Amino acid sequence: MYVAVKGGERAISAAHAWLDETRRGDPSVPELSIAQIEQQMGLAVDRVMAEGSCHDRFLAALAIKQAKGDLIEAAFLLRAYRTTLQRFGASEPLETSRMRLRRRVSATYKDLPGGQVLGPTFDYTHRLLDFALAAEGAAPAVAPEAAAPVAEVPRVTELLAREGLMQREDMTEGEPGDLTRQPLAFPADRPVRLQNLARGDEGFLLALGYSTQRGYGNAHPFVGEIRVGHIAVEFTPPELGFPIELGEIGITECQMVNQFAGSRTEPPQFTRGYGLVFGHGERRAMAMSLVDRGLRARELGEDISAPAQDEEFVLYHSDNIEATGFVEHLKLPHYVDFQSELENLRTIRRSAEQAMQEAAE
Amino acid sequence: MNSATTMDSPRASGTIDSPRASGAIDSPRASGAIDGYNFAYLDEATKRMIRRALLKAVAIPGHQIPFGAREMPLPYGWGTGGIQVTASILGPTDTLKVIDQGADDTTNAISIRRFFTRVAGVATTEHTADATVVQTRHRIPERTLREDQIIVYQVPQPEPLFRLEPRRTETKRLHALADYGLMHVRLYEDIARLGHIAKAYDYPVMVNGRYLMSPSPIPAFDNPKMHRMPALQLFGAGREKRIYAIPPYTDVRSLDFEDHPFRPIRAPHVCALCGSGDTYLDEVITDDAGGRLFVCSDTDFCAERQADTAKEAAE
Amino acid sequence: MNTLTPGFADPVLDGQATFRAVLEAMSRPGRIQRVGAGLRPPAPLNQAAAAVLLTLADADTPFAHDAGTDAEAWLRFHCGMPSCTTAQAAFVLATGAAPSLAALAQGTEEEPQSGATLVLQVTGLAESDGWRLTGPGIETEHRLRVDGAPDGFVAAWAANRAGLPCGVDVVLCAGDRLAALPRSVMIAEG
């Protein structure tokens, strides 16, 4: 006699115990510490903070450890934690010209105030596996130290704007929308779009940004500048009425300079694609600024013909936590709907076979 | 220090970006202790927001209300909408039943039930008759629900028109105009091509004669149970951030045509365990030589029927 | 401020119980629920209206009322809702002469859920006789007697229904009793 499958609860417990065991791996290999991940897997931590939408290096490193290095799973852990935190309010806008820079490059000017600072970059490394790294315990490389940069480094786009060549952004007063509290509505305003992109999946942003370079969207981008470094976050408590400094966070900002043909009311000028992300995330910030510019097609009166210009398509599909949940939910049982589909298909095939038989007779 | 340090370790005091480098955790919630969380997990402001949406949903039967769905500790697509609705209505005197595919012991149903036991400490049951709140994925229990019960559906895709028109800006307009021609055309084309409507689950319904609604991916077999159901029906879609509802005793009509009336589909067999001939059945493959049998998808209903039969036999 | 009476003794569980009562009332128009019996809100607020607002109103719900400064101070302290005009309010509280339903937010064809909720204090509610209610949530017919309903309410309600799916939803409150009239319900004089 057939006996229905049971024991799901025990199976879940056993599976999770096994997960814990595989996370640790071979116990004869020393266990990873959170500090090791935080220090030596810093770019992974940065990506998890960005996609997890929460600037906390310790928690991001913990999430990476817990997720066995699956960065989307780690971002999910961080998001689920973040959502339980109390929201105190919005910070003051960041003044990135006062960033403590460790890297700053411009592709539009050979030299400029503040200079070009390469900083710690993979650029110009030859991608040859460094087998010396496999030998652990070597003394760390020591880089020469340069003079501290000048205090304030003006943004390239600001230099252009002063000349009237770069479109000024709308300075909307008041708090921007918060897409973790309000569902997306269309048309989405730019602060909400940028918020969405800042925590969007890096691979998705990269592919979309790339598509704008290949003709899917009318992009002619120049990297006005990329800056990487630290910046103070200020918050004005309502009871104080003046801003206080909460601390510093690491960020990467990219300003992409794009052409704009002009309209009946505006002469031709440059327009901006903007990217700003937590931590050191140059690829993410650059891709974001390409997609941001693509999504401005509507407000700039440009044709909307490419995926990167379609805000409903981009904003609804950028979130990898939503995407992975829904793609992976397909592995949940669907036998009830599948059964319905089976019976329906059998019925339809029966009618079709009957009809074919009748036609043949 | 040298300039090659990664930005992750600022040169200043070393405490800016890594305030917790010591490994200390300064939030009680990170300890994993469930006492750090509010009753039923969601904070009160979130519950209020969801409760307001639920009341409007009841007042406008079948209309999808956007809500600020939170990021839950379970994945999107795995019941986060239903979980948020349940968490917003649940109280300490409720008894919760969670089913997936009609069964209480499917892994995701177990996981969700365990979540509410942890965060709300509510009583749970596998008996439909004993539940005050039933959260479900893909089925409506066979036993008729009562006035003192609420059923919460997990909804992956609340927009009934999404396969015909993926843009929400457009479907929103179609709902406003009650323009459902697209769906009628689609169903009519099925009939013209196949002689039958090809939709077997998530079969669209008209609610209170006004809104076209997705019943969630329940089999079309279950659709008639929604019509004038004595219990309140609530629907939560977490990823798509929509809530909707059907009040008790409300007309719910499966779309059809006069010459092609709606027909609920089920496998034409009886349950191998309880002998039921009018319940929805799962097909079970028993070997690789074409062997198969059919058993009730509603495990509680099936077990009750088996117990009744056993009792009768003993008497 | 220190003369304010307390809100819910247990905001989490009392809020949940009150919400379920309002949900039940909205789901079964005309069925009476009891809420807020332990509250001592300042006059002219009654217990049911106070409980409904404590449960549903907050900083995200613009609010208009005619209840005077004591009630406003109490509600603002416990709920923190911003004040606004009657036409902009998500919740409107009427303790005296009720505003015209048509003067409240109606929502739009695309977003009918933006229609206001009117919390309307009346002097008495009973299920024995009075109006005959039909519509979603009602198996055949519910009776509801409303003492102290605004003059011409039934006619105004018919006009409200004519705008469906837009319109206003009403929660009637008398002492610790409440009943709800979702915009979908039809009212006939008894």
Side-chain angles (χ1 to χ4, degrees):
Chain A
M1 151 126 196
Y2 172 73
V3 181
V5 199
K6 287 258 177 200
E9 189 127 12
R10 272 177 44 228
I12 292 175
S13 300
H16 291 172
W18 198 357
L19 171 74
D20 291 342
E21 200 179 299
T22 58
R23 175 186 299 115
R24 179 61 182 87
D26 181 349
S28 68
V29 176
E31 185 181 349
L32 260 180
S33 73
I34 303 300
Q36 283 172 331
I37 297 171
E38 198 259 302
Q39 290 293 311
Q40 298 172 41
M41 293 282 152
L43 296 180
V45 168
D46 287 339
R47 178 166 179 183
V48 169
M49 289 197 306
E51 292 173 4
S53 204
C54 177
H55 193 289
D56 189 313
R57 303 193 61 78
F58 173 80
L59 292 178
L62 172 61
I64 291 170
K65 180 172 179 176
Q66 187 177 333
K68 301 172 66 177
D70 178 335
L71 299 188
I72 293 182
E73 178 70 19
F76 181 12
L77 288 167
L78 198 54
R79 290 253 196 114
Y81 174 76
R82 175 196 190 279
T83 194
T84 67
L85 299 176
Q86 198 186 335
R87 186 180 193 280
F88 291 107
S91 73
E92 297 296 319
L94 300 180
E95 182 45 80
T96 52
S97 65
R98 289 206 291 266
M99 264 171 85
R100 198 153 54 76
L101 292 171
R102 62 174 39 200
R103 169 162 167 79
R104 191 273 193 118
V105 290
S106 168
T108 50
Y109 293 103
K110 186 171 183 181
D111 200 3
L112 66 174
Q116 306 261 20
V117 182
L118 272 184
T121 177
F122 289 126
D123 296 351
Y124 318 114
T125 63
H126 299 147
R127 270 60 172 206
L128 304 170
L129 276 175
D130 181 357
F131 292 99
L133 284 174
E136 292 163 24
V142 177
E145 202 155 345
V150 293
E152 199 156 324
V153 180
R155 287 180 295 254
V156 167
T157 46
E158 184 56 31
L159 303 174
L160 287 166
R162 277 182 209 154
E163 215 182 315
L165 294 174
M166 169 62 76
Q167 188 187 47
R168 290 268 184 205
E169 304 302 334
D170 282 341
M171 294 291 285
T172 319
E173 291 296 320
E175 271 193 29
D178 181 347
L179 56 77
T180 66
R181 310 193 67 80
Q182 297 293 327
L184 272 174
F186 296 97
D189 63 22
R190 196 157 173 225
V192 166
R193 297 199 306 251
L194 289 169
Q195 225 173 90
N196 175 290
L197 299 178
R199 51 189 237 148
D201 181 71
E202 184 166 315
F204 180 78
L205 295 177
L206 180 65
L208 273 180
Y210 176 48
S211 72
T212 68
Q213 289 178 278
R214 292 195 66 261
Y216 290 85
N218 187 25
H220 306 275
F222 295 95
V223 171
E225 121 182 87
I226 293 166
R227 44 177 70 202
V228 183
H230 290 83
I231 189 159
V233 177
E234 295 185 328
F235 178 70
T236 303
E239 62 272 24
L240 288 185
F242 56 86
I244 54 167
E245 192 176 316
L246 299 178
E248 269 193 334
I249 60 170
I251 58 164
T252 304
E253 182 188 56
C254 175
Q255 303 227 37
M256 208 66 91
V257 177
N258 289 264
Q259 288 174 14
F260 172 52
S263 67
R264 224 171 287 165
T265 51
E266 281 183 278
Q269 60 187 331
F270 291 121
T271 53
R272 192 178 329 228
Y274 188 74
L276 184 128
V277 302
F278 285 156
H280 190 165
E282 244 166 276
R283 182 190 299 125
R284 159 183 293 277
M286 293 175 74
M288 176 177 169
S289 58
L290 291 174
V291 179
D292 169 52
R293 179 59 183 80
L295 291 178
R296 297 185 66 198
R298 178 174 41 82
E299 66 212 31
L300 294 172
E302 298 168 340
D303 286 342
I304 297 176
S305 54
Q309 296 169 319
D310 181 335
E311 67 172 3
E312 202 171 325
F313 179 79
V314 173
L315 301 185
Y316 268 140
H317 300 109
S318 60
D319 192 299
N320 56 20
I321 312 297
E322 290 179 0
T324 199
F326 201 47
V327 167
E328 292 196 55
H329 108 285
L330 291 171
K331 66 194 167 194
L332 290 179
H334 281 77
Y335 29 79
V336 161
D337 11 344
F338 185 69
Q339 182 63 35
S340 213
E341 198 90 324
L342 265 180
E343 284 309 322
N344 206 31
L345 189 59
R346 282 171 180 152
T347 310
I348 290 171
R349 282 178 62 92
R350 263 196 304 272
S351 329
E353 278 161 17
Q354 222 164 10
M356 278 191 274
Q357 212 164 16
E358 278 163 19
E361 279 164 11
Chain B
M1 285 180 118
N2 64 67
S3 58
T5 336
T6 61
M7 76 176 287
D8 337 339
S9 42
R11 308 168 186 204
S13 60
T15 60
I16 294 166
D17 283 24
S18 349
R20 305 205 177 128
S22 66
I25 299 170
D26 60 10
S27 165
R29 292 192 175 169
S31 68
I34 219 68
D35 355 325
Y37 291 92
N38 193 22
F39 177 79
Y41 181 79
L42 296 175
D43 61 277
E44 290 303 300
T46 299
K47 286 186 199 165
R48 271 195 300 276
M49 175 269 294
I50 293 173
R51 287 168 178 170
R52 290 192 294 262
L54 285 170
L55 292 173
K56 289 299 174 194
V58 169
I60 314 168
H63 170 63
Q64 304 166 48
I65 315 252
F67 79 111
R70 298 298 188 249
E71 297 182 282
M72 302 298 286
L74 282 81
Y76 285 115
W78 297 51
T80 55
I83 291 170
Q84 289 180 79
V85 169
T86 298
S88 301
I89 66 174
L90 213 58
T93 58
D94 276 310
T95 303
L96 177 68
K97 173 183 166 85
V98 182
I99 49 171
D100 188 342
Q101 314 296 300
D104 299 88
D105 61 348
T106 32
T107 39
N108 203 44
I110 291 168
S111 162
I112 292 172
R113 189 162 60 236
R114 202 149 70 162
F115 176 74
F116 280 111
T117 312
R118 285 178 74 186
V119 300
V122 293
T124 59
T125 183
E126 296 195 0
H127 299 302
T128 305
D130 297 340
T132 57
V133 176
V134 178
Q135 178 168 328
T136 182
R137 175 167 173 265
H138 295 193
R139 272 314 307 276
I140 299 175
E142 303 291 356
R143 176 189 278 275
T144 306
L145 295 175
R146 301 183 309 259
E147 285 200 351
D148 61 345
Q149 296 179 307
I150 297 177
I151 181 166
V152 177
Y153 297 78
Q154 299 172 201
V155 182
Q157 181 46 264
E159 179 46 69
L161 298 167
F162 85 100
R163 285 186 204 284
L164 306 169
E165 173 52 71
R167 285 178 192 281
R168 295 306 179 268
T169 38
E170 187 56 24
T171 55
K172 199 171 155 185
R173 199 179 63 81
L174 295 174
H175 284 292
L177 299 169
D179 179 353
Y180 300 127
L182 272 179
M183 184 58 88
H184 283 105
V185 168
R186 141 84 216 264
L187 297 181
Y188 189 77
E189 281 174 355
D190 280 359
I191 292 170
R193 207 157 36 90
L194 309 167
H196 297 271
I197 288 173
K199 224 156 160 53
Y201 62 93
D202 201 357
Y203 189 106
V205 293
M206 278 299 284
V207 177
N208 196 29
R210 173 59 180 83
Y211 282 105
L212 188 72
M213 191 196 90
S214 157
S216 87
I218 57 172
F221 175 83
D222 280 341
N223 274 19
K225 295 176 184 158
M226 305 182 103
H227 178 60
R228 297 187 63 78
M229 183 191 279
L232 172 63
Q233 306 178 65
L234 303 175
F235 299 79
R239 188 179 41 79
E240 297 284 340
K241 302 176 178 59
R242 298 286 188 280
I243 279 173
Y244 51 101
I246 306 174
Y249 304 113
T250 299
D251 285 352
V252 179
R253 195 173 59 77
S254 301
L255 285 196
D256 62 359
F257 299 93
E258 253 173 48
D259 50 343
H260 275 89
F262 169 81
R263 20 162 226 118
I265 305 162
R266 69 181 284 280
H269 300 276
V270 294
C271 172
L273 297 177
C274 76
S276 161
D278 58 1
T279 50
Y280 194 76
L281 303 175
D282 288 339
E283 182 169 333
V284 180
I285 307 286
T286 51
D287 55 38
D288 61 358
R292 71 191 66 219
L293 53 79
F294 293 84
V295 293
C296 284
S297 109
D298 183 337
T299 48
D300 173 55
F301 181 86
C302 190
E304 275 185 9
R305 246 185 85 106
Q306 290 177 62
D308 287 351
T309 315
K311 212 164 79 182
E312 275 165 31
E315 274 164 12
Chain C
M1 275 290 181
N2 51 13
T3 61
L4 286 176
T5 57
F8 285 135
D10 185 330
V12 174
L13 299 185
D14 293 347
Q16 186 272 337
T18 305
F19 167 68
R20 278 291 278 279
V22 180
L23 181 66
E24 185 69 8
M26 200 60 89
S27 302
R28 301 174 198 281
R31 291 263 176 96
I32 291 171
Q33 302 290 324
R34 307 190 80 135
V35 297
L39 293 171
R40 288 178 297 120
L45 257 187
N46 68 29
Q47 290 166 319
V52 169
L53 291 168
L54 287 179
T55 300
L56 296 172
D58 60 22
D60 291 333
T61 55
F63 176 64
H65 69 97
D66 64 357
T69 50
D70 287 357
E72 166 147 350
W74 192 84
L75 289 168
R76 196 186 287 278
F77 177 78
H78 290 298
C79 311
M81 60 271 244
S83 295
C84 67
T85 66
T86 306
Q88 294 167 327
F91 286 96
V92 176
L93 167 67
T95 59
S100 140
L101 293 177
L104 274 53
Q106 305 289 310
T108 61
E109 291 286 336
E110 288 198 354
E111 294 175 354
Q113 67 274 14
S114 322
T117 303
L118 171 64
V119 178
L120 179 59
Q121 292 197 176
V122 293
T123 51
L125 289 170
E127 288 182 7
S128 48
D129 53 352
W131 295 344
R132 295 175 185 279
L133 308 183
T134 51
I138 299 170
E139 187 173 13
T140 50
E141 179 185 272
H142 285 171
R143 300 299 296 269
L144 181 68
R145 195 183 77 221
V146 183
D147 299 328
D151 289 341
F153 185 84
V154 172
W157 188 258
N160 187 55
R161 270 201 98 251
L164 287 179
C166 297
V168 173
D169 307 305
V170 175
V171 181
L172 301 162
C173 297
D176 66 349
R177 297 167 152 240
L178 69 79
L181 303 172
R183 64 191 74 178
S184 56
V185 76
M186 277 164 284
I187 307 178
E189 306 265 15

